[in-house]
Amino acid sequence: SALMFNDHHLNVRGYERAAEDILAALDAAGLLAPPRDGPAPNSRTVDEPPSVRATGSGQLELAGPAGWAFQVLVGRATGPGDGFDAGGVTVPLRPDAVLDASRLLPELSGWLDGSGSATIQVSAVLETRAGGEALNACLLLLNDPGGPEANPVAAISAPVQVRF
């Protein structure tokens, strides 16, 4: 009764409790990006372009400015006319089911560490979903939500072929 109005709708305390429970469930299910290693970057300018390097077995080494939030997108190989607009930045990957699936994988997002690097593992599920076509990956640096920037994407790397 302390969390609801008489008509069984949540009050402010009820919504706070529901949000805490949802956050805990998402965390327990592994659906949240790992915590940031260090404070948010002070500068909102990308001084060094991001890059991604495939090392084999689906592993990618990411590099860029320290502390930036990132998202790695994985999709089928690109070609003339392929790609899509992400708020003024062209992502050179085909918008398809592989790309959509990569956007849902929490292990493909996080924060670059204090030295501006991170290593991630691309799931072989994406390779299977591609049906034998080559996969490429791009590293997107993301502006912090609620910041002064209108576009969530600050910079994007050139695509690199993922090797399994």
Side-chain angles (χ1 to χ4, degrees):
S1 66
L3 302 176
M4 293 187 176
F5 293 111
N6 289 340
D7 64 355
H8 302 292
H9 286 90
L10 294 175
N11 61 26
V12 172
R13 289 179 57 201
Y15 279 112
E16 288 173 350
R17 176 67 186 269
E20 290 168 0
D21 289 349
I22 291 169
L23 183 61
L26 290 171
D27 188 36
L31 297 175
L32 299 178
R36 183 189 307 258
D37 181 21
N42 294 327
S43 169
R44 297 313 314 158
T45 320
V46 178
D47 296 330
E48 55 187 280
S51 65
V52 59
R53 185 171 76 91
T55 60
S57 301
Q59 192 172 62
L60 300 175
E61 292 179 352
L62 315 178
W68 276 76
F70 71 82
Q71 171 75 44
V72 173
L73 296 179
V74 179
R76 290 184 172 101
T78 60
D82 288 336
F84 66 94
D85 180 66
V89 178
T90 300
V91 176
L93 299 173
R94 286 186 209 161
D96 60 17
V98 175
L99 181 71
D100 291 343
S102 78
R103 296 175 73 179
L104 300 175
L105 297 173
E107 62 268 21
L108 298 183
S109 63
W111 290 271
L112 297 175
D113 65 18
S115 67
S117 63
T119 301
I120 62 165
Q121 182 67 41
V122 175
S123 171
V125 170
L126 295 178
E127 180 185 31
T128 302
R129 186 168 273 201
E133 288 189 57
L135 289 179
N136 282 339
C138 289
L139 169 62
L140 281 68
L141 296 182
L142 306 174
N143 288 310
D144 286 332
E149 300 82 8
N151 186 354
V153 179
I156 185 168
S157 73
V160 63
Q161 188 170 10
V162 180
R163 295 177 288 158
F164 286 93

